[in-house]
Amino acid sequence: MKTLNVDVAVIGGGTAGLGAYRAAKEHTDSVVMIEGGPYGTTCARVGCMPSKLLIAAAEAVHHIEKAPGFGVHPMGETKINGREVMDRVKRERDRFVGFVLEGVDSIPAEDKIRGFARFIDDNTLVVDDHTTINAKRIVIATGSRPSWPAVWNELGDRLIINDDVFEWDDLPESVAVFGPGVIGLELGQSLHRLGVNVLMFGMGGQVGPLTDPQVMAYADKTFSEEFYLDADSKVDMMQREGDKVFIRYQDKSGDMQETLVDYVLAATGRRPNVDNIGIENTTLTLDARGVPLADKFTMQTSVDSIFIAGDASNQIPLLHEAADQARIAGDNAGRFPEIRVGLRRSKISAVFSDPQIGMVGESFREISQRLGTCGCFETGEVSFENQGRSRVMLRNKGMLRVYGEQGTGRFLGAEMIGPDAEHIAHLLAWAHQNQMTVSQMLDMPFYHPVVEEGLRTALRDLNARLKLGPEMIKHCLDCGPGC
Ligand SMILES: Cc1cc2nc3c(=O)[nH]c(=O)nc-3n(C[C@H](O)[C@H](O)[C@H](O)COP(=O)(O)OP(=O)(O)OC[C@H]3O[C@@H](n4cnc5c(N)ncnc54)[C@H](O)[C@@H]3O)c2cc1C
């Protein structure tokens, strides 16, 4: 067994691990990064990028299907070549992974330790029984993994996760997606649009990451119109039958249905990789899910010399958050004990479904819990069904709800499903981070005709409800037609 003595050991070589390694290196040369799995990051290999590539192919089909609505009739039958679809997904995915690998290659070999690390105590790690590392400071950046009910393991190789989809050479005929959350919606809708027979089952009525009941109901209705989605499903039986999976379920009208599918895709959530790293050998204080508690501004845990970043922290499992947390955790591990608070940005998230889902700032649930009992917040709303530019583009489905604080008029957050939600969410997140009031947001320019005019309508509605602006009028002067 080899022994290393280092200033900083980073566990995990994904987005957060790479970021923490680089930030710690600014302070000391004595940093190692330990990676047990493949290099390349979850985001590039099996996450953000391949999922968006599959969505892009699905969008191409959807544009063709929508064309007759404009009087444009594509000639002949649309042929979807599953092999070509998956080939492009994997080819482009590999290109993105290649960029990450170039970064990994530039790290000196002696700083990269291969193998899975486990804590022996607060300052000691063992890697795969070949190396003991005595580290003055440690950053946990071990990411997360999909989780599903153990009984589904009986489905064998018919049970798949997102990683498996991006290894397919061809598209299957049918998939039952369990979990209409971010990953389930993105993959399920794309597969449906690419001609795969998709059934989507949820629990408790949850759709996407939404918390506003009105936006969630709209999302449920919209997706249900396109493919079978039961967000509160009653699946009676699921078992393997040859190369298929037999599913018996009660449909939304209460009738029993039986079906055979090629695969069951588990999109039922992800759990932080902290249960398999010998955490019990540390003195770390854990939350109810067994995740080390950490200060969100310093990423320091209850053990001063241990920091955490990325999905492992269970704070906000998104790429840009992993990068921010990594910068803070790595910087503090490097400069310890003189630690500093780092920048945490306003919350923003997007689901690349169609229509897209966007959430910014505090969620409706968080605001209701904080301000609901005193009635100290108001909600403004817009429907995109008659919104000018959205109708022009035949993308007039969706609703946006914006929340503001009584008295101060400050913009608190928003939830939406609708056209260009990824872009509207950015405008709103920038306003939120600048702590703008709704009136200040309305002072900003809005071009015509754009989807963002819908945002202006929602903000005007909110300002009126906050009693800070005039009542909403049906045909405003600056609105132009269809606002
Ligand atoms: C299908 C999908 C789509 C997504 N889409 C988006 C999106 O559109 N936008 C967005 O912002 N986010 C998206 N995400 C989330 C995003 O990918 C993650 O938030 C981000 O990758 C987390 O980075 P990380 O460094 O924490 O984890 P990872 O990149 O997973 O890195 C963790 C690393 O730690 C290693 N490791 C684990 N345990 C050990 C150990 N004991 N010893 C050594 N190494 C270990 C693992 O092998 C892994 O390489 C998506 C995720 C998925 C799955």
Side-chain angles (χ1 to χ4, degrees):
M1 176 92 76
K2 197 168 140 190
T3 301
L4 292 175
N5 297 305
V6 298
D7 284 348
V8 179
V10 178
I11 317 176
T15 302
L18 286 164
Y21 166 82
R22 287 193 195 107
K25 273 291 240 191
E26 295 287 315
H27 301 279
T28 166
D29 252 353
S30 175
V31 185
V32 291
M33 186 183 79
I34 310 152
E35 173 55 68
Y39 285 123
T41 75
T42 291
C43 176
R45 286 189 315 105
V46 291
C48 334
M49 301 316 287
S51 56
K52 299 324 144 313
L53 285 161
L54 194 70
I55 289 168
E59 277 172 356
V61 182
H62 191 61
H63 285 144
I64 297 169
E65 284 170 354
K66 265 184 15 185
F70 296 98
V72 177
H73 299 273
M75 305 276 282
E77 187 199 345
T78 307
K79 257 189 94 179
I80 300 164
N81 185 321
R83 288 193 165 270
E84 286 177 34
V85 168
M86 292 315 299
D87 181 57
R88 176 172 190 267
V89 168
K90 289 194 280 187
R91 225 176 336 110
E92 287 296 312
R93 182 267 317 265
D94 291 347
R95 212 174 133 267
F96 291 120
V97 171
F99 296 135
V100 181
L101 296 182
E102 278 173 24
V104 174
D105 284 347
S106 67
I107 297 174
E110 62 275 19
D111 289 1
K112 289 181 283 196
I113 315 284
R114 293 297 277 153
F116 282 94
R118 284 176 58 80
F119 280 93
I120 299 300
D121 60 42
D122 285 350
N123 290 98
T124 315
L125 299 169
V126 165
V127 184
D128 270 2
D129 299 332
H130 58 68
T131 308
T132 300
I133 302 179
N134 300 312
K136 291 183 187 147
R137 280 93 64 193
I138 293 171
V139 179
I140 304 170
T142 45
S144 61
R145 63 182 187 278
S147 66
W148 59 85
V151 59
W152 292 0
N153 289 330
E154 287 168 14
L155 303 177
D157 65 1
R158 298 291 106 181
L159 175 69
I160 54 164
I161 56 169
N162 53 294
D163 302 31
D164 302 307
V165 170
F166 307 127
E167 285 310 310
W168 282 342
D169 291 326
D170 202 349
L171 292 166
E173 274 177 23
S174 53
V175 175
V177 179
F178 281 79
V182 180
I183 294 173
L185 279 178
E186 288 191 354
L187 298 186
Q189 185 181 41
S190 316
L191 293 175
H192 161 76
R193 288 186 171 183
L194 288 164
V196 178
N197 183 15
V198 168
L199 296 169
M200 200 177 288
F201 300 103
M203 252 173 66
Q206 182 67 39
V207 179
L210 295 161
T211 72
D212 187 316
Q214 293 198 37
V215 187
M216 184 134 52
Y218 195 102
D220 191 358
K221 180 172 152 286
T222 305
F223 295 125
S224 297
E225 282 166 4
E226 189 181 337
F227 50 86
Y228 184 83
L229 163 63
D230 186 351
D232 192 14
S233 62
K234 288 162 200 72
V235 175
D236 187 49
M237 183 184 186
M238 191 154 77
Q239 67 183 28
R240 184 159 177 156
E241 266 190 31
D243 270 353
K244 305 255 181 203
V245 177
F246 170 82
I247 303 177
R248 191 166 65 210
Y249 61 98
Q250 204 179 83
D251 70 16
K252 292 204 267 189
S253 7
D255 297 330
M256 286 313 279
Q257 302 287 348
E258 295 182 347
T259 190
L260 283 173
V261 292
D262 291 325
Y263 292 106
V264 164
L265 171 61
T268 34
R270 295 178 69 85
R271 67 186 293 186
N273 289 323
V274 290
D275 54 331
N276 45 9
I277 57 170
I279 211 98
E280 62 283 1
N281 300 327
T282 67
T283 57
L284 285 162
T285 308
L286 310 178
D287 69 11
R289 285 188 72 192
V291 179
L293 291 173
D295 181 299
K296 74 178 226 183
F297 295 106
T298 62
M299 299 317 292
Q300 188 178 40
T301 65
S302 59
V303 175
D304 285 356
S305 58
I306 303 180
F307 299 82
I308 192 164
D311 282 13
S313 76
N314 202 29
Q315 290 188 2
I316 305 172
L318 293 172
L319 188 275
H320 68 281
E321 290 284 346
D324 283 352
Q325 293 176 23
R327 208 173 299 117
I328 298 169
D331 180 57
N332 280 334
R335 64 167 58 249
F336 187 84
E338 301 298 325
I339 67 163
R340 295 208 177 138
V341 297
L343 172 69
R344 293 304 297 270
R345 298 167 223 257
S346 282
K347 280 195 258 175
I348 174 172
S349 65
V351 183
F352 294 85
S353 50
D354 178 24
Q356 295 183 333
I357 291 171
M359 291 176 72
V360 166
E362 275 182 284
S363 69
F364 178 81
R365 187 181 295 138
E366 287 166 339
I367 299 170
S368 305
Q369 281 163 2
R370 192 168 66 80
L371 297 173
T373 41
C374 66
C376 302
F377 80 98
E378 291 290 345
T379 302
E381 184 179 311
V382 70
S383 158
F384 286 95
E385 293 187 357
N386 282 317
Q387 201 272 326
R389 186 68 192 285
S390 307
R391 274 199 89 93
V392 164
M393 298 184 295
L394 260 182
R395 294 170 61 212
N396 52 322
K397 268 189 190 162
M399 83 169 353
L400 163 66
R401 297 204 355 127
V402 285
Y403 320 114
E405 189 174 49
Q406 285 280 13
T408 63
R410 206 157 70 79
F411 168 62
L412 297 174
E415 297 196 16
M416 83 173 277
I417 174 168
D420 294 346
E422 63 177 297
H423 304 302
I424 290 177
H426 274 86
L427 290 184
L428 288 171
W430 291 20
H432 185 268
Q433 189 159 315
N434 278 308
Q435 305 192 351
M436 289 171 82
T437 63
V438 180
S439 302
Q440 285 169 332
M441 291 161 79
L442 283 166
D443 286 344
M444 297 294 129
F446 287 84
Y447 198 67
H448 175 75
V450 291
V451 175
E452 285 77 359
E453 288 175 300
L455 164 61
R456 181 176 58 190
T457 304
L459 291 173
R460 281 184 173 158
D461 183 30
L462 176 57
N463 226 24
R465 288 170 196 272
L466 289 168
K467 313 239 174 328
L468 292 167
E471 284 303 309
M472 287 287 288
I473 47 167
K474 204 160 169 102
H475 299 291
C476 56
L477 274 179
D478 59 353
C479 291
C483 292

